[in-house]
Amino acid sequence: MAGQLTENEIFNFCDYSAGYISLVLGRCALISLAVFGLALLLRGAFLKGCCFRRGMAWGLLLVAPFLGKLRVHYEMQLFAEMLGWWDVLCIEHWWIRHGYLAGVMLGAGLMWRCRRKLSSLVREMEKKTFCGQQVYLNELPVTPFSVGLLSPKIVLPRRMEQGFSEEELRFILLHEKVHIRSGHLWFYLAWDLCQMILWINPLFLLCRESFREDLEDICDRITIQSSGGAAKAYGEALLKCMKELDGRENKGAASFAKRQRYGLVRRRFKRIAGFEPYGRFRTRALGACGAVVLAGALVMVWAYSFPPYTEIREVILMDDFQGRKVILPDNRQLREAVSWDGSRVYIDCEAMDELLREHQFEGERFWLGIGGYTKIPSMGGGGSIVYVDYGEHGKELCIPYCNGEDKPAAALLKWIL
């Protein structure tokens, strides 16, 4: 790779890893722009009438982090021209490849810090039971929310302890439990992870509110249906929650009550007012079909992508005197002449003589470049150089050699991504 920083093996390993990861994830980020465009088109046009189908459109983004190694990128001229410039930047400029990876690590650190801090704050909150549900009371005037993936917790602002009837609290708690049962906390984690590793795509930040709006819409419909279709009472409970949290302080933190988000609030209450019951079996079947389609898309991406690595079976023949170099393709003739294992190279002299005559190699000493692998075209590693003294040879040569791929760093590079 151009631009290696030092001759130190560890630093070169880190440099190669940064280049490879940045190249693949950067391609994913660039392609995710088109995936976003498709998701937004489906959400805003073809699937606009159904909140469940509209929410499923965001599932396309789960495919984006796996699109960086598609064979079509290198096999079709159009894609090679559209994305090749990113390859050049990563390979030729160390600050590009390390900068991208630093952005991923910074995002991971911030996400971990924020989630850990929120979990610590919730653990210190007072516990109380409302309507048979244990909740955590928050002193700050923020909207009710849920936190925790494996052990979810519901957090309510303390000021809702008074002034809310049991029925109103039941609606609020049911809303949060629907978020948990529907896996929305995991969906938010998936969004954060995609945004973290594809951070150069600004649409993850710009479209987050639309993603949240669709999840809230789905949650509203399920909550109303689960409560017996009491859309009016549910809407009134939400409106009261908005007034309580936003009205007592000018700086209230109710996310759906801020003046600049009036359009979101208005659309949400219009959808609540227009609620119509839906078929649960049909909705579950729709979700199952969406999961099957997503799984099928991932399988197709895997099938048409490069594997973690591909062994190089060609052999490089180098003249010890004239400096000539010839690449011997992997075919029956080569396999009869040269073979190797992890510690020795075996040469059939009769077959090798034929190869040497064919390529007009006349010296008795030459070098063979064997082994190695490619992860994607233009990026690979490994391989060993074997010196061959062909003088006074018998029928077969057995030459020990030092296999560079036995090193832990080389083995790790093979399987990275």
Side-chain angles (χ1 to χ4, degrees), residues 65-78:
F66 304 96
L67 298 177
K69 296 180 65 177
L70 286 174
R71 296 179 183 273
V72 70
H73 297 168
Y74 299 91
E75 295 173 354
M76 291 187 63
Q77 185 66 24
L78 175 62

Side-chain angles (χ1 to χ4, degrees), residues 244-262:
E244 286 290 320
L245 298 178
D246 197 51
R248 294 187 183 184
E249 296 184 14
N250 291 331
K251 297 182 180 180
S255 61
F256 55 86
K258 293 182 180 179
R259 290 184 176 87
Q260 62 267 35
R261 298 185 180 177
Y262 169 75

Side-chain angles (χ1 to χ4, degrees), residues 29-76:
L30 295 173
I31 299 170
S32 69
L33 293 169
V35 178
F36 253 108
L38 178 59
L40 293 173
L41 178 63
L42 292 174
R43 175 184 180 269
F46 301 106
L47 306 179
K48 188 175 182 179
C50 175
C51 70
F52 296 105
R53 290 195 294 268
R54 192 169 66 246
M56 286 171 58
W58 296 110
L60 292 172
L61 299 178
L62 294 176
V63 182
F66 304 96
L67 298 177
K69 296 180 65 177
L70 286 174
R71 296 179 183 273
V72 70
H73 297 168
Y74 299 91
E75 295 173 354
M76 291 187 63

Side-chain angles (χ1 to χ4, degrees), residues 111-124:
M111 185 178 72
W112 179 81
R113 180 175 178 273
C114 291
R115 287 177 173 267
R116 186 169 181 268
K117 183 177 180 181
L118 180 59
S119 298
S120 299
L121 289 174
V122 171
R123 283 196 298 268
E124 296 174 359

Side-chain angles (χ1 to χ4, degrees), residues 307-322:
Y309 69 93
T310 301
E311 295 283 359
I312 297 176
R313 302 306 302 176
E314 295 89 354
V315 171
I316 302 176
L317 177 62
M318 294 168 282
D319 193 323
D320 193 29
F321 297 100
Q322 301 177 8

Side-chain angles (χ1 to χ4, degrees), residues 380-397:
S384 302
I385 302 294
V386 179
Y387 178 70
V388 181
D389 186 349
Y390 213 57
E392 298 182 359
H393 60 268
K395 186 176 181 181
E396 184 178 75
L397 292 179

